Amino acid sequence: MLHKCEGIVIRTTDYSESNKIVTIFTRELGKIGVMARGAKKPNSRLSSVSQLFSYGHFLFQKGTGLGTLQQGEMSSSFRSIKEDIFKTAYATYIADLLDKGTEERKSNPFLFELLHQTLQFINEEYDPEIMVNIFEMKMLPVLGLYPVLDRCAVCGSKDGEFGFSIRENGFLCHRCFQVDPYHFPMSISALKLLRIFYFFDVNRLGNISVKPETKEELKNIISSYYDEYSGLYLKSKKFLKEMDRFKGML
């Protein structure tokens, strides 16, 4: 049976001399794997649509295991991302996180829209570091993680100074700081942004300008939270950290 889906390529794997296994995150069916026969040949009609980040409509033969990609009509290649090594690194991590954090053929139109919008923003010169942070926060419920971000995770208070406790799974008010001596201190800006990233629709965010020191706060908290709870150890994340160190030396 033939299926047509709107989707974005999130992973490609070479298979034999001329074929590729392509993982596509689709609006209709969630994540699917398909064999793109002959896609590695330069003159193949599947060559461009089977590249990483290709967005469009895909026609494939569905099987019990891998489907077979028959044809694709590309709407966007996110060219600006592909032409910039830093944007490529951030987008690759986003695709990798989505790939490792989702099951095969489990429909989630919200996640598809989030992926599409995030890549579109990065392609349009929005800050890729902030877009990664937003994507990471939006992925937490998908991974079964629900940090407490609207009150103190210990006493429930909604006023006062706050920090973030990995151990207590969320915000910690100043009255409860002693509960976790290793909590992260937080500026008002970082606190507000963490809430916004988690609760608000990405389409309503607009282009956010964030100070370098606030970015560092957000990155440290989100990375530590993922390290503690997600169980995901991604090579693409390790590369991002190395890239950040390199940028800091420039």
Side-chain angles (χ1 to χ4, degrees):
M1 183 183 295
L2 285 173
H3 291 265
K4 186 175 184 180
C5 288
E6 180 185 2
I8 298 171
V9 176
I10 59 171
R11 176 161 51 97
T12 66
T13 307
D14 290 345
Y15 185 82
S16 77
E17 289 186 9
S18 59
N19 304 332
K20 279 184 182 180
I21 296 174
V22 182
T23 303
I24 307 170
F25 200 86
T26 71
R27 185 186 295 276
E28 296 85 354
L29 299 174
K31 184 173 67 175
I32 60 170
V34 293
M35 178 71 74
R37 300 190 183 282
K40 289 171 66 178
K41 296 178 180 178
N43 59 347
S44 169
R45 58 190 171 85
L46 299 179
S47 178
S48 59
V49 296
S50 62
Q51 292 180 16
L52 191 61
F53 310 132
S54 292
Y55 161 59
H57 289 84
F58 300 84
L59 187 68
F60 65 96
Q61 182 87 37
K62 193 174 179 181
T64 53
L66 280 178
T68 302
L69 185 62
Q70 300 292 335
Q71 65 184 64
E73 182 182 338
M74 189 156 62
S75 302
S76 172
S77 65
F78 295 111
R79 184 175 175 181
S80 177
I81 291 175
K82 292 182 177 180
E83 291 178 347
D84 184 301
I85 187 172
F86 295 110
K87 288 182 182 179
T88 298
Y90 289 113
T92 299
Y93 169 61
I94 286 167
D96 198 15
L97 177 56
L98 181 64
D99 185 19
K100 300 301 191 297
T102 54
E103 299 174 12
E104 292 274 346
R105 300 188 183 185
K106 191 172 181 179
S107 177
N108 192 329
F110 162 77
L111 266 187
F112 174 81
E113 195 58 43
L114 176 64
L115 172 65
H116 179 241
Q117 193 65 67
T118 303
L119 293 178
Q120 189 67 44
F121 280 150
I122 294 175
N123 197 62
E124 292 173 356
E125 308 299 329
Y126 281 54
D127 189 328
E129 290 180 76
I130 294 303
M131 295 315 303
V132 161
N133 289 159
I134 293 170
F135 194 87
E136 288 174 317
M137 293 303 292
K138 296 293 188 192
M139 275 294 293
L140 291 178
V142 179
L143 299 170
L145 301 172
Y146 302 91
V148 179
L149 301 176
D150 60 348
R151 62 190 183 279
C152 176
V154 175
C155 74
S157 176
K158 294 188 176 184
D159 65 324
E161 296 177 30
F162 285 89
F164 189 92
S165 170
I166 301 296
R167 192 175 74 186
E168 299 300 327
N169 191 42
F171 289 160
L172 210 60
C173 76
H174 65 276
R175 305 168 195 86
C176 300
F177 281 168
Q178 76 281 358
V179 174
D180 180 8
Y182 303 103
H183 68 271
F184 287 89
M186 291 184 74
S187 65
I188 296 294
S189 296
L191 183 145
K192 287 180 177 178
L193 287 172
L194 212 57
R195 279 179 177 159
I196 288 171
F197 294 172
Y198 186 75
F199 289 112
F200 280 69
D201 184 348
V202 69
N203 292 306
R204 295 170 52 200
L205 288 173
N207 200 350
I208 300 172
S209 179
V210 181
K211 294 178 181 178
E213 55 269 28
T214 307
K215 279 188 186 182
E216 195 64 25
E217 280 185 77
L218 293 168
K219 184 169 62 177
N220 289 338
I221 290 169
I222 296 171
S223 291
S224 298
Y225 191 84
Y226 263 82
D227 289 345
E228 181 68 25
Y229 291 117
S230 75
L232 299 174
Y233 302 97
L234 308 178
K235 289 182 180 179
S236 54
K237 179 69 170 181
K238 186 178 178 182
F239 180 75
L240 270 189
K241 290 179 178 178
E242 292 172 354
M243 190 179 71
D244 285 342
R245 282 197 292 269
F246 173 74
K247 284 167 67 177
M249 295 166 59
L250 294 178

